[in-house]
Amino acid sequence: MTAQLHLVKLSVGTEDVDGLAKWQASRAAQGPDGLPRHVTRMWPRRESEVLTGSIYWVIRGVIQCRQEILRLDEVTGTDGIRRCAIVLDPALTRTQG
């Protein structure tokens, strides 16, 4: 069985969990399948472990929620550079402080 590996990401410019949900519901934050995604420059080295984990979102200096990682998609930016789109379950699960 593959171990779970979770990611911790800063949600820059987000004031609260509702703000993150609104951003992810926008067309700009969604992939062609309508699912929210977070695009990053680097492809995870431990891909199989990341695919069983979640992203924990840091909002205003505190981990406030998490989302399950569904898959990793390769995307190419307008600059021609290959990037990783972390495709997320739309459900945000609040964490306890």
Side-chain angles (χ1 to χ4, degrees):
M1 177 175 217
T2 303
Q4 280 188 325
L5 183 64
H6 303 291
L7 302 176
V8 177
K9 293 289 210 175
L10 297 176
S11 185
V12 178
T14 304
E15 295 295 319
D16 53 27
V17 176
D18 291 335
L20 178 60
K22 286 178 188 173
W23 161 248
Q24 289 186 350
S26 73
R27 186 174 284 263
Q30 295 177 358
D33 56 6
L35 292 172
R37 61 187 187 160
H38 176 74
V39 179
T40 184
R41 290 179 295 142
M42 305 300 291
W43 197 274
R45 289 186 201 145
R46 295 167 61 185
E47 180 177 349
S48 62
E49 294 165 286
V50 167
L51 288 172
T52 61
S54 296
I55 284 187
Y56 283 80
W57 290 107
V58 177
I59 301 171
R60 299 184 60 101
V62 178
I63 294 175
Q64 295 193 30
C65 62
R66 71 173 182 85
Q67 280 180 290
E68 289 184 43
I69 298 170
L70 300 178
R71 67 176 190 272
L72 304 175
D73 289 349
E74 182 177 325
V75 295
T76 304
T78 56
D79 54 6
I81 296 175
R82 174 183 173 243
R83 291 184 170 82
C84 178
I86 303 169
V87 180
L88 303 165
D89 184 317
L92 290 165
T93 303
R94 293 177 188 259
T95 58
Q96 294 183 350

